[in-house]
Amino acid sequence: MRADAVRNRERIVTNAVRLFAERGPDVQMCEIAAAAGLGVGTLYRHFPDRQALALEIGVSALRAMTEFAGAAREREDSAWGELHAIVRHCATLPLALAKSLSELVPEEAGLAELERSVDDLLADLVERAQKEGTLRKDVPPREVVRLVSVVVCRPGARADDYLTVVMLDGLRAD
Amino acid sequence: MRADAVRNRERIVTNAVRLFAERGPDVQMCEIAAAAGLGVGTLYRHFPDRQALALEIGVSALRAMTEFAGAAREREDSAWGELHAIVRHCATLPLALAKSLSELVPEEAGLAELERSVDDLLADLVERAQKEGTLRKDVPPREVVRLVSVVVCRPGARADDYLTVVMLDGLRAD
Amino acid sequence: MRADAVRNRERIVTNAVRLFAERGPDVQMCEIAAAAGLGVGTLYRHFPDRQALALEIGVSALRAMTEFAGAAREREDSAWGELHAIVRHCATLPLALAKSLSELVPEEAGLAELERSVDDLLADLVERAQKEGTLRKDVPPREVVRLVSVVVCRPGARADDYLTVVMLDGLRAD
Amino acid sequence: MRADAVRNRERIVTNAVRLFAERGPDVQMCEIAAAAGLGVGTLYRHFPDRQALALEIGVSALRAMTEFAGAAREREDSAWGELHAIVRHCATLPLALAKSLSELVPEEAGLAELERSVDDLLADLVERAQKEGTLRKDVPPREVVRLVSVVVCRPGARADDYLTVVMLDGLRAD
DNA sequence: CATGAATGAGCGTTCATTCAT
DNA sequence: TATGAATGAACGCTCATTCAT
C-alpha cells in the first residue's frame, strides 16, 4: 500500500471518529470526506460503504478498549484501581462511540459480539472488585457494567466530572 | 372536533411517542402514521410537519413532568422522597423522550426553554434535599440534575433497576 | 333540486370563476369551497371532479359569449360596432377565463370545440366588418380573431385601456 | 469545471427553457432532467432548487434582452427601427419566458427588478420613437410597453405574424 | 344533504453510492 | 489512483378525491 494511501486512510478514520463523536451517527459521507480533505470517491475506495466505515471504527475502538483493560490489569494493583483507570480512559472516547455506531452495522458484522466480549471483560473485572471487597456486592456485575456504560457514554463525559465521581461513590462497598 | 378525529390524534401521539422512544428521532412519518393505523395525510392534518409533532410530544412530556413534580411536593414529606418519586416516574418515560426530540425542533420553538425550566425545578428540589441533609452536599445541584437526567434518560430505564438504585445510593448524604 | 342546493351551486360557480380569474388555473379545490362558504364535500357533490367544474365554467362562459354576440348583432347597426361591443364585453371577463381553463379539461370534453365555434362566430363577424369596409382587409379574419383574443384575454384587460384602443386603431381600415 | 459538467448544465438550461416555454411554469423537475437525458440528482447538483433554475433562466433571458437592445441601438438608425428589431427578436423567445417564470421566484430574488429595468429601457426607446415622430403620441410609453409585451409574450408569437404587424401598424404615428 | 376528516399518489428534494474523467 | 459529477431510491409534504359522521 502506498504511503499516501495509508495517510489518507488514517485521515478518514480520524475525521470520521471525530465527526461521529461530535454530531452523532447521521453525518454525511461527503462531509467526512471533506473533513479529511479528500473527495468522496477516495473514501469509498477505502471503505466500500458507510457500514464498513462504522464497523472499522467500532471494532478498533473496542479493540483499543480490550488492550487498555489488559494493560491496566498489569499496571494497577487492585480491581478497583483498574476500574478507575478504565472509566477515566473511556471518558476520553471510544466506548461511547462504538455504542453509537452499533446501530449502523448489521447484526452479522459481529460488532455486537465484540461489544459483548468487552462487556464480559468488564463484568469479570467488576466481579474481582466485589471479591476484593472494594465494590458493593448487592448489584450483579452485569448491571454495574451497564451503569458504567451509561455514565461513561453520555456525550461530553469527562473522567473527573461529578457524574463519574458520584457513580463511583455509589459503587464503592459500604 | 369530531370524536374519531380526537381518537386519531391520540393514536398518532401515542404511537409517535412509542416509536421515537424505541427507535430514536429518525423514525419516518409514514411509519408513525402506519403504526397508528392511519394514512400519512391524516398525520399531517393533525401536525403540519415533523417538527410540530416532535414539539407537541416534547412539550406535553415536559409539562407532565412539571405537574408531577408539583404533585410530588404535596404528597411527599421530604425532598429526598420527592426526588425518589420523580426518578421513579421519569423512568416510565417523558424526560428522556423530550431530550431526544429537542434536536428536531428549532431553537425558537421554545422547547429548550421549557427543558431549562424543568431543570430549574429539579435543581431547586436537589438544593432542598441538600439542606434537609439527605443528599450529599459536595456536588452542585445542577450536576446532580445532569446525573439524574443521564441515568433516567437512558433507553430502557426502569424505576427499580440497579442503575437507578446505585445512583441514588451515590447521592445519599454520607 | 332544493332551493339551498341551487344557491350552493351558484355560490360555488361564482367563486370558482372569481378565483380562477384572479389566481390562475392552480387554485385548490378546498379554497374554492371555502370561498363559497362550504365544505369540500359539498363542492364535490355538485361537481364530480376538478375537470367538471372547469368544464362547467368554461362552457357557460362561452355560451354567454355566443348569446352576447347574437344580441350585439340585433342591437348594433355595423359589424364594426358589434366588434367594439364584444371587445368591451369580453374585457369584463369570460373569454379569457375559458382559455385559461381549457388546459384543465381533456380534449374529449368538447370545450375546445365550443371555443372553435365561438372563434367561427367572431371570424364571421370580422369578415362582415371587412366587407362593410371598416376593418382592414389585408389580415385574414382568423388572425384578427387571434389578435383580439390575445389582447382581450390578457389578465387585467379593460375595455377602455390603451391596449384595446391601439389594437382597434390598428384594425380599422386605412 | 469539467467539460461534461458544463455540457450537462447547458443541456439542463436549454431543455428547461424549452419545457417552461412549451408547457408553462408547472413542469416537473424530473421531467426537465429526463428531457436533458440526466437524472434528477444532476439537475439538483447544478441548481439547488426549482427557484434557482427559474431564476437563472429568467435572469439570463432578461440580460440577453438588454444586450440585444443595446446592439440594436448601434445598428439601427431610428428608434422605430430599434423597436422593430426588438419585437422581431423577442418573438423568438426570451421576454415571454421571463414573465412566465417570475411567479416561481420570490420577490427578494430581484427578478422583478430586472424586469422593471428592461421595461424602463423599452419605455425610453418608445419615447424616443415618439419624439422622432414615428410612433403615435397619444399613448403613454409605459402603455406601449405593456401592449408590446402582451403581443410578443403570447405563446407561439412569431416576428412576422399578423398580430405583430397589426400592432405595429396601430402604433405607427398617424 | 352537508361536512371536513382520512386517504394516498405524486412532487420536490436529499444523500449513499457508482463511475467517467 | 483521486476526484467529484451523476444517479436514483427514499423521505417529507401537498392536495385532489373519498367517505364516515
Side-chain angles (χ1 to χ4, degrees):
Chain A
M1 198 169 184
R2 264 164 46 180
D4 61 341
V6 174
R7 202 173 51 249
N8 283 342
R9 191 187 170 93
E10 269 163 21
R11 275 209 269 196
I12 290 168
V13 172
T14 313
N15 284 280
V17 165
R18 186 170 52 76
L19 287 173
F20 276 131
E22 275 171 28
R23 309 228 304 267
D26 293 344
V27 227
Q28 296 165 223
M29 292 304 266
C30 73
E31 203 169 358
I32 294 174
L38 298 167
V40 234
T42 311
L43 198 166
Y44 275 91
R45 165 169 297 276
H46 288 282
F47 301 95
D49 60 19
R50 165 175 264 267
Q51 278 178 19
L53 177 59
L55 186 61
E56 157 97 9
I57 291 178
V59 165
S60 79
L62 289 170
R63 273 213 235 293
M65 270 295 295
T66 312
E67 276 168 35
F68 184 90
R73 186 150 192 185
E74 305 289 301
R75 218 178 330 104
E76 305 289 331
D77 50 329
S78 72
W80 183 257
E82 291 173 43
L83 189 65
H84 260 257
I86 286 172
V87 163
R88 223 174 299 125
H89 180 249
C90 278
T92 335
L93 187 79
L95 195 52
L97 190 60
K99 304 240 163 189
S100 101
L101 291 178
S102 52
E103 72 182 63
L104 294 182
V105 287
E107 196 58 33
E108 322 85 70
L111 189 57
E113 207 177 342
L114 231 182
E115 259 182 85
R116 239 170 293 125
S117 88
V118 169
D119 281 357
D120 288 349
L121 197 147
L122 292 175
D124 180 61
L125 165 59
V126 165
E127 220 175 326
R128 285 189 286 118
Q130 287 177 326
K131 281 202 185 112
E132 81 185 15
T134 47
L135 201 153
R136 58 193 282 181
K137 298 201 172 68
D138 59 337
V139 185
R142 291 279 158 204
E143 292 298 317
V144 176
V145 173
R146 286 184 58 210
L147 173 57
V148 172
S149 294
V150 165
V151 170
V152 138
C153 294
R154 106 206 91 108
R158 295 191 33 181
D160 54 352
D161 59 16
Y162 289 105
L163 279 74
T164 314
V165 170
V166 168
M167 173 190 71
L168 289 172
D169 283 359
L171 288 175
R172 174 161 280 152
D174 215 18
Chain B
M1 200 172 182
R2 252 163 55 179
D4 60 339
V6 174
R7 204 173 47 249
N8 283 339
R9 192 190 166 94
E10 270 162 21
R11 275 209 273 206
I12 289 168
V13 171
T14 312
N15 283 281
V17 165
R18 185 170 52 76
L19 287 173
F20 276 131
E22 276 171 29
R23 309 230 301 268
D26 293 343
V27 227
Q28 298 163 222
M29 292 304 264
C30 73
E31 202 170 357
I32 295 175
L38 299 167
V40 231
T42 309
L43 199 166
Y44 278 94
R45 162 172 286 268
H46 289 283
F47 300 95
D49 60 17
R50 165 175 265 269
Q51 278 180 20
L53 178 57
L55 187 60
E56 157 97 8
I57 291 178
V59 166
S60 78
L62 289 170
R63 272 212 236 293
M65 270 295 295
T66 313
E67 277 169 34
F68 184 90
R73 186 151 193 185
E74 305 290 301
R75 214 174 339 99
E76 304 289 331
D77 50 328
S78 73
W80 183 258
E82 290 172 45
L83 189 65
H84 260 257
I86 285 171
V87 164
R88 223 174 298 127
H89 180 249
C90 279
T92 334
L93 184 81
L95 196 53
L97 192 59
K99 304 238 165 190
S100 101
L101 291 178
S102 51
E103 72 181 64
L104 294 182
V105 289
E107 194 58 33
E108 322 86 70
L111 190 56
E113 208 179 342
L114 231 181
E115 260 181 83
R116 242 171 290 124
S117 87
V118 168
D119 281 356
D120 288 349
L121 197 147
L122 293 176
D124 180 62
L125 166 58
V126 165
E127 221 175 328
R128 284 187 289 120
Q130 288 176 325
K131 278 197 187 117
E132 82 187 12
T134 47
L135 202 154
R136 57 194 282 182
K137 297 199 172 70
D138 59 338
V139 185
R142 290 279 158 202
E143 292 298 318
V144 176
V145 172
R146 286 185 58 210
L147 172 57
V148 171
S149 294
V150 165
V151 170
V152 137
C153 293
R154 105 208 91 109
R158 294 192 33 183
D160 54 353
D161 58 18
Y162 289 106
L163 279 73
T164 315
V165 170
V166 168
M167 172 191 69
L168 290 172
D169 283 358
L171 288 175
R172 174 162 278 152
D174 217 18
Chain C
M1 200 170 182
R2 268 165 44 180
D4 60 342
V6 174
R7 204 175 47 248
N8 283 343
R9 191 187 170 91
E10 270 163 20
R11 276 209 266 191
I12 289 167
V13 172
T14 312
N15 283 281
V17 165
R18 186 171 50 78
L19 287 172
F20 277 131
E22 276 172 28
R23 309 229 301 269
D26 293 344
V27 226
Q28 298 165 220
M29 292 303 266
C30 72
E31 203 169 357
I32 295 173
L38 299 167
V40 233
T42 310
L43 198 167
Y44 275 91
R45 166 168 297 275
H46 288 282
F47 300 94
D49 60 18
R50 165 176 264 267
Q51 279 179 18
L53 177 58
L55 186 60
E56 158 97 10
I57 290 178
V59 165
S60 79
L62 289 170
R63 271 213 235 293
M65 270 294 295
T66 313
E67 277 169 35
F68 185 90
R73 187 150 192 184
E74 306 288 301
R75 215 176 334 104
E76 304 290 331
D77 50 328
S78 73
W80 184 258
E82 290 172 43
L83 189 65
H84 260 258
I86 287 173
V87 163
R88 222 175 299 126
H89 181 248
C90 279
T92 336
L93 187 81
L95 195 53
L97 191 59
K99 303 242 164 189
S100 100
L101 291 178
S102 53
E103 71 181 65
L104 295 182
V105 288
E107 195 58 34
E108 322 86 70
L111 189 56
E113 207 177 342
L114 230 181
E115 259 180 85
R116 241 170 293 126
S117 87
V118 168
D119 281 358
D120 288 349
L121 197 147
L122 293 174
D124 180 63
L125 166 59
V126 165
E127 221 176 326
R128 284 189 286 120
Q130 288 176 325
K131 280 198 185 115
E132 82 186 16
T134 46
L135 201 153
R136 60 193 279 183
K137 296 199 173 70
D138 60 338
V139 185
R142 292 277 157 203
E143 292 299 316
V144 176
V145 172
R146 286 184 59 210
L147 172 57
V148 172
S149 294
V150 165
V151 170
V152 138
C153 294
R154 105 205 92 108
R158 294 191 34 181
D160 54 352
D161 58 17
Y162 288 105
L163 279 75
T164 314
V165 170
V166 167
M167 173 191 68
L168 289 172
D169 283 358
L171 288 175
R172 174 161 279 152
D174 218 20
Chain D
M1 202 172 182
R2 254 163 53 179
D4 60 341
V6 173
R7 203 173 46 248
N8 283 339
R9 190 188 169 95
E10 269 162 21
R11 275 209 274 205
I12 290 168
V13 171
T14 311
N15 283 281
V17 165
R18 187 171 50 79
L19 287 173
F20 276 132
E22 275 171 28
R23 308 230 302 270
D26 293 344
V27 227
Q28 299 162 222
M29 293 302 266
C30 71
E31 202 169 358
I32 294 174
L38 299 166
V40 231
T42 309
L43 199 167
Y44 277 92
R45 162 173 287 270
H46 289 283
F47 300 95
D49 59 19
R50 165 175 265 269
Q51 278 180 20
L53 178 58
L55 186 61
E56 157 97 9
I57 291 177
V59 165
S60 79
L62 289 169
R63 271 212 236 292
M65 270 295 295
T66 312
E67 276 169 35
F68 184 89
R73 187 151 191 183
E74 307 288 301
R75 215 176 336 104
E76 304 290 330
D77 50 328
S78 74
W80 183 257
E82 290 174 42
L83 189 64
H84 260 257
I86 286 173
V87 163
R88 223 174 300 127
H89 181 249
C90 278
T92 334
L93 186 80
L95 195 53
L97 192 59
K99 304 240 165 189
S100 101
L101 292 178
S102 52
E103 70 182 65
L104 294 182
V105 289
E107 194 58 32
E108 321 87 70
L111 189 55
E113 209 179 340
L114 232 179
E115 260 179 86
R116 240 171 293 126
S117 87
V118 168
D119 281 357
D120 288 349
L121 198 146
L122 293 175
D124 180 62
L125 166 59
V126 165
E127 222 176 324
R128 283 188 288 118
Q130 288 176 326
K131 279 199 188 116
E132 83 186 12
T134 47
L135 201 151
R136 59 193 280 182
K137 297 200 172 70
D138 59 339
V139 184
R142 292 277 158 202
E143 292 298 317
V144 176
V145 172
R146 285 184 59 211
L147 172 56
V148 171
S149 294
V150 165
V151 170
V152 137
C153 294
R154 105 205 95 108
R158 294 190 33 182
D160 56 351
D161 58 16
Y162 290 105
L163 279 74
T164 313
V165 171
V166 168
M167 173 191 69
L168 290 172
D169 283 358
L171 289 174
R172 175 162 279 153
D174 215 21

